[in-house]
């Protein structure tokens, strides 16, 4: 894997999705239906709460974030003008420890979306047995609209504003849509400058040069691959070498998933980004495609492939479909047309509850986000521990420990699926919510 990639600002590609049949995040495209990510997260939680018979008090407690911060702050633009930006940081729950969750730069960021993503992080961290609660933050901005200097000034000011909430023992952010290792380095530096010494453990997903860990950049995509490979083997008796794959989104998660699956023999036939997608039934040449993306910042226009829309990609007759872009992509409107056998959720919240039911009826196996894409937060945890203890893990150790943590918790989920005859999403959520509830009970209610 290319370790140097982490230090470079990646091509952030986050314009409002208005082209190419792409769904806006959290929006049902069916007639008259609009479902926000927050509504999806709450509905999923309510279904689990009903399933396990959770009492009303705990249900009310866990349905809302513990704390949320909205910040409006000024930044000097290159032309001397001042622009006001709006950002957020939300902590869903701290019962299991300090909070953990990404920072998103995207024009569609809302407080509601941050609440949903923070809640999903609580469940994901609990499912992985990490000593964290869930958090999320973001700024309403298309980072492509800013120069590098403006992006740095905006990031540093946002970091200063949310330093009320973040800290190595309080809340540890990481990259998400539209942010990258360079942005994490600016946040780490800003936080450290205010305190007068370097505090690498305040953030994860940093460049290795400033205390990041080897293996973090590709961890989410590699984790999606490990989990999908294990499920293919266990549930279908198939190997990655025998399957076709389509990936929606070609940023951090999507591109590394495509790469990791391709390197292990899978035939990646289609990929897309917000501008559209490319398809080659014989398999895309990933090496050439990555070169094309490095030059043009998009997968579209790649030679040796046909073009297709994001909507068409989701409906391809492939073995494995990996949504790795935004929330709300598989809805009640298009779920009936999904022809994949496995839906491996690289993104957070790509499938609405209504779509889940349709997919279950069709026999599509959904690997839920809080399990499927957890490799990123697992390796972020390793990075945090290395930062706190000033120790270093080597790359093999990071991969080995990540794989073990993912597969151990996959076993727990599969055990619950078999025992309770439920979907993988329900089994993953039951495990996660019960672990959080246990932590709440053991700690007791203050005062
Ligand atoms: P990214 O910014 O690196 O990449 C996002 C990709 O999605 C880009 O290729 C962009 O062009 C594309 N895209 C954006 N909007 C789209 C749309 N509406 N339709 C199709 N493509 C679209 O972001 P990322 O870090 O890869 O995150 C992708 C998803 O994975 C998000 O849901 C994120 O929360 C989740 N996730 C990320 C990590 C991580 O480690 N980065 C970990 C777990 C989950």
């Amino acid at each position: 894997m290319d370790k140097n990639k982490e230090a470079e600002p990646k091509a952030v590609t986050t314009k409002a999705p208005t082209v190419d049949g792409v769904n806006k995040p959290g929006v049902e495209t069916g007639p008259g239906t609009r479902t926000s990510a927050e509504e999806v997260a709450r509905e999923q939680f309510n279904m689990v709460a009903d399933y396990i018979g959770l009492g009303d008090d705990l249900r009310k407690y866990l349905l809302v974030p513990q704390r949320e911060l909205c910040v409006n702050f000024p930044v000097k633009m290159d032309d001397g003008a001042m622009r006001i930006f709006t950002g957020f940081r939300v902590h869903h729950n701290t019962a299991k420890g300090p909070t953990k969750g990404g920072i998103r730069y995207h024009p569609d960021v809302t407080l509601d979306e941050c609440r949903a993503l923070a809640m999903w992080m609580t469940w994901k961290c609990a499912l992985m047995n990490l000593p964290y609660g869930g958090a999320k933050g973001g700024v309403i901005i298309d980072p492509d609209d800013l120069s590098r200097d403006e992006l740095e000034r905006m990031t540093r000011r946002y970091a200063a504003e949310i330093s009320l909430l973040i800290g190595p023992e309080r809340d540890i952010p990481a990259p998400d849509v539209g942010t990258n290792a360079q942005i994490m380095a600016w946040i780490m530096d800003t936080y450290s400058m205010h305190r007068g010494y370097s505090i690498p453990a305040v953030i994860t997903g940093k460049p290795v040069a400033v205390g990041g860990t080897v293996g973090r950049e590709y961890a989410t995509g590699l984790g999606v691959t490990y989990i999908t490979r294990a499920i293919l083997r266990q549930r279908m008796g198939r190997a990655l070498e025998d399957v076709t794959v389509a990936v929606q989104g070609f940023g951090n998660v999507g591109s590394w998933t495509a790469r990791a699956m391709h390197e292990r023999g899978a035939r990646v036939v289609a990929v897309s980004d917000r501008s559209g997608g490319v398809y080659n039934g014989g398999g895309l040449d990933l090496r050439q495609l990555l070169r094309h993306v490095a030059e043009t910042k998009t997968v579209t226009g790649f030679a040796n492939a046909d073009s297709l829309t994001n909507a068409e990609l989701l409906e391809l007759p492939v073995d494995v479909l990996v949504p790795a872009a935004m929330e709300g992509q598989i809805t009640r409107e298009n779920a009936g047309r999904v022809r994949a056998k496995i839906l491996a959720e690289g993104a957070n919240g790509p499938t609405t509850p209504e779509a889940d039911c349709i997919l279950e009826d069709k026999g599509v196996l959904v690997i839920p986000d809080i399990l499927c894409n957890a490799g990123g937060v697992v390796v972020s945890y390793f990075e945090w521990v290395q930062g706190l203890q000033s120790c270093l893990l080597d790359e093999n150790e990071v991969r080995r420990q990540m794989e073990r943590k993912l597969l151990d918790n996959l076993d727990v989920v599969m055990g619950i699926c078999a025992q309770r005859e439920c979907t993988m999403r329900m089994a993953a959520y039951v495990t996660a919510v019960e672990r959080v509830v246990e932590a709440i009970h053991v700690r007791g209610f203050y005062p």
Side-chain angles (χ1 to χ4, degrees), residues 26 51 130 136 166 182 218 220 271 281 285 297 318 321 323 339 347 374 382 443:
Y51 190 80
L130 301 175
K136 207 76 181 189
I166 66 173
Q182 176 60 73
Y218 57 76
T220 310
V271 298
D285 183 329
K297 309 289 178 223
V318 287
L321 173 63
R339 286 184 285 170
F382 299 155
R443 285 178 71 148

Side-chain angles (χ1 to χ4, degrees), residues 378-398:
V378 167
V379 176
S380 271
Y381 165 68
F382 299 155
E383 179 176 334
W384 179 67
V385 171
Q386 290 174 78
L388 289 176
Q389 302 187 347
S390 303
C391 65
L392 291 176
L393 293 179
D394 70 34
E395 194 166 3
N396 286 337
E397 190 59 17
V398 168

Side-chain angles (χ1 to χ4, degrees), residues 10-25 102 104-106 108 117 120-121 124 136 174-180 216-221 224 248-255 272-276 297-299 310 323-327 329 345-350 369 372-377 380:
K10 92 187 139 194
V12 277
T13 48
T14 49
K15 273 208 191 325
T18 52
V19 289
D20 188 32
V22 161
N23 292 339
K24 282 192 90 174
R104 179 172 290 195
Y105 288 175
H106 193 283
D108 294 331
L117 290 160
W120 285 325
M121 281 306 293
K124 193 187 302 183
K136 207 76 181 189
D176 191 74
V177 174
T179 56
N180 58 25
R216 174 60 184 90
E217 202 208 350
Y218 57 76
T220 310
V224 171
Q248 185 201 40
F250 206 68
N252 175 288
V253 180
S255 67
S272 66
D273 56 30
R274 68 176 181 188
S275 308
K297 309 289 178 223
T298 174
V299 300
N310 267 286
M326 306 297 286
E327 307 96 71
Q329 297 300 302
E345 294 188 331
N348 289 311
D369 47 7
C372 194
N373 69 33
V377 73
S380 271

Side-chain angles (χ1 to χ4, degrees), residues 26-48:
V27 175
E28 285 269 11
T29 52
T33 54
R34 278 179 71 84
T35 311
S36 74
E38 188 186 12
E39 284 171 287
V40 169
R42 289 167 71 103
E43 189 175 336
Q44 288 171 336
F45 170 69
N46 272 324
M47 283 160 67
V48 182

